[in-house]
Amino acid sequence: MSFSSTLFSHNIRFATNQLSNPNPKLHNLNNRRSLTVSAIGTDTLDGTTLAVIGGSSVAALAAAISLSDPEKRRQLQAEEVGGGDKEVVRDYFTNDGFQRWKKIYGTTDDVNKVQLDIRIGHAKTVESVMKMLTDEGSLKGVSVCDAGCGTGLLSIPLAKEGAVVSASDISASMVSEAQKQAKEALEGKDGVQIPKFEVSDLESLNGNYDTVVCLDVLIHYPQSKADGMIAHLASLAENRLILSFAPKTFYYDLLKRIGELFPGPSKATRAYLHSEADIERALQKVGWKIRKRGLTTTQFYFSRIVEAVRA
């Protein structure tokens, strides 16, 4: 599962500022007279999508935002599936969202510009995490928990490096696809153990592992719950904990608010941004400290990566 920004359709044309620039000069927005938001097909829209600002004044944006009620929409979604954020996430990634994200995470050419860019961005995050892990030496025999494994894009390269991988996801559909992909990629390879996959939410994970990795899952947790989730994941790790999350900055938060003006599919999930300072405080509370930091940015994908060790 990942955090992405995307563009929106209908009759509004778009002139985009590149998302790869995380700190655009907001005064430039005041020099434009009309709000222009882009259009690339609604098939990419989901609860982790953002609108990219192409113009208009900050005052006009604030006025537009004030007319939206994303919280009410999320409440109705939760009521529909009989629970809160977790139930919405499980329902979305098992049903409506599964085919969308299977395609994004896959290798098919049947993706648009936004989906391809998200695929590339997530692959860069996986590459960065693998480098963090292998920089410390061989992974042969090292136990790794891949919490929120999606379709196995991290679990499979971990297993190829000789790690003993336990992988889980809240979505049964994702786990089934991960098992299929792992079998095709790893079966019959000498010295490679196929990951053990299971359907589980983060709260239900147990065991002890040398390393716990949780990529792009904290976006589904508000900070109050993220603190407890980080503490739980840290309790499972002996030596390393690697997290990636959508960074909360003024710019990204504004994009998220604009994105909420365009609700997308009815089963979309809620997206939460997190500041690095909040993540660091949550780690410090349970006796961990950040040792390495990374950032993946493409035009439509961004993710902060931190590697933590015991203080």
Side-chain angles (χ1 to χ4, degrees), residues 125-140:
T125 293
V126 170
E127 182 180 352
S128 295
V129 169
M130 288 299 299
K131 187 176 188 304
M132 282 184 176
L133 292 171
T134 55
D135 277 351
E136 299 299 313
S138 172
L139 293 178
K140 189 172 180 61

Side-chain angles (χ1 to χ4, degrees), residues 3 5 16-29 50 52-53 245-256 273 276 294-304:
F3 188 46
S5 72
T16 181
N17 290 327
Q18 294 299 312
L19 192 58
S20 57
N21 177 6
N23 296 298
K25 294 182 179 179
L26 293 179
H27 68 77
N28 287 339
L29 297 179
L50 302 175
V52 178
I53 305 168
F245 54 93
K248 184 175 184 178
T249 65
F250 175 81
Y251 178 61
Y252 291 151
D253 191 49
L254 182 59
L255 298 187
K256 175 178 176 291
L273 309 183
E276 187 170 338
L295 178 66
T296 301
T297 60
T298 63
Q299 188 174 3
F300 307 114
Y301 174 98
F302 49 94
S303 186
R304 173 68 70 183

Side-chain angles (χ1 to χ4, degrees), residues 107-311:
T107 59
T108 176
D109 292 332
D110 183 26
V111 289
N112 61 35
K113 178 182 178 181
V114 175
Q115 292 170 329
L116 178 60
D117 193 81
I118 293 168
R119 177 190 293 172
I120 293 169
H122 189 263
K124 288 183 177 181
T125 293
V126 170
E127 182 180 352
S128 295
V129 169
M130 288 299 299
K131 187 176 188 304
M132 282 184 176
L133 292 171
T134 55
D135 277 351
E136 299 299 313
S138 172
L139 293 178
K140 189 172 180 61
V142 175
S143 59
V144 181
C145 173
D146 183 5
C149 65
T151 59
L153 294 181
L154 176 66
S155 295
I156 292 171
L158 283 171
K160 286 181 178 178
E161 290 292 328
V164 179
V165 183
S166 297
S168 65
D169 198 279
I170 196 171
S171 163
S173 299
M174 287 286 188
V175 169
S176 178
E177 180 64 22
Q179 289 173 322
K180 175 185 174 184
Q181 295 294 333
K183 184 176 180 180
E184 292 176 357
L186 304 173
E187 194 169 50
K189 292 186 178 293
D190 292 338
V192 173
Q193 183 175 324
I194 295 178
K196 177 184 177 183
F197 293 98
E198 67 172 326
V199 179
S200 175
D201 55 42
L202 296 187
E203 294 89 338
S204 300
L205 291 178
N206 54 48
N208 292 294
Y209 310 91
D210 177 89
T211 300
V212 174
V213 183
C214 185
L215 300 186
D216 295 344
V217 178
L218 290 178
I219 191 169
H220 302 300
Y221 290 84
Q223 189 60 51
S224 59
K225 293 183 178 179
D227 286 359
M229 210 65 265
I230 290 170
H232 177 59
L233 292 173
S235 73
L236 306 178
E238 293 292 334
N239 294 310
R240 289 178 294 192
L241 173 61
I242 296 179
L243 305 169
S244 74
F245 54 93
K248 184 175 184 178
T249 65
F250 175 81
Y251 178 61
Y252 291 151
D253 191 49
L254 182 59
L255 298 187
K256 175 178 176 291
R257 295 290 301 277
I258 296 298
E260 288 174 339
L261 295 170
F262 301 84
S266 62
K267 297 283 186 167
T269 63
R270 180 74 186 259
Y272 298 97
L273 309 183
H274 300 286
S275 72
E276 187 170 338
D278 285 338
I279 297 297
E280 189 163 17
R281 277 193 292 269
L283 287 164
Q284 290 173 343
K285 285 180 183 178
V286 291
W288 288 68
K289 64 181 180 181
I290 295 177
R291 180 172 64 174
K292 296 179 182 178
R293 306 169 195 264
L295 178 66
T296 301
T297 60
T298 63
Q299 188 174 3
F300 307 114
Y301 174 98
F302 49 94
S303 186
R304 173 68 70 183
I305 309 164
V306 296
E307 179 192 64
V309 295
R310 294 184 182 276

Side-chain angles (χ1 to χ4, degrees), residues 84-111:
D85 281 331
K86 182 169 70 175
E87 288 74 21
V88 171
V89 169
R90 178 187 291 114
D91 184 74
Y92 174 74
F93 283 101
T94 298
N95 298 298
D96 292 15
F98 170 65
Q99 291 299 329
R100 177 178 294 110
W101 287 96
K102 175 186 174 183
K103 181 168 66 173
I104 291 172
Y105 289 153
T107 59
T108 176
D109 292 332
D110 183 26
V111 289

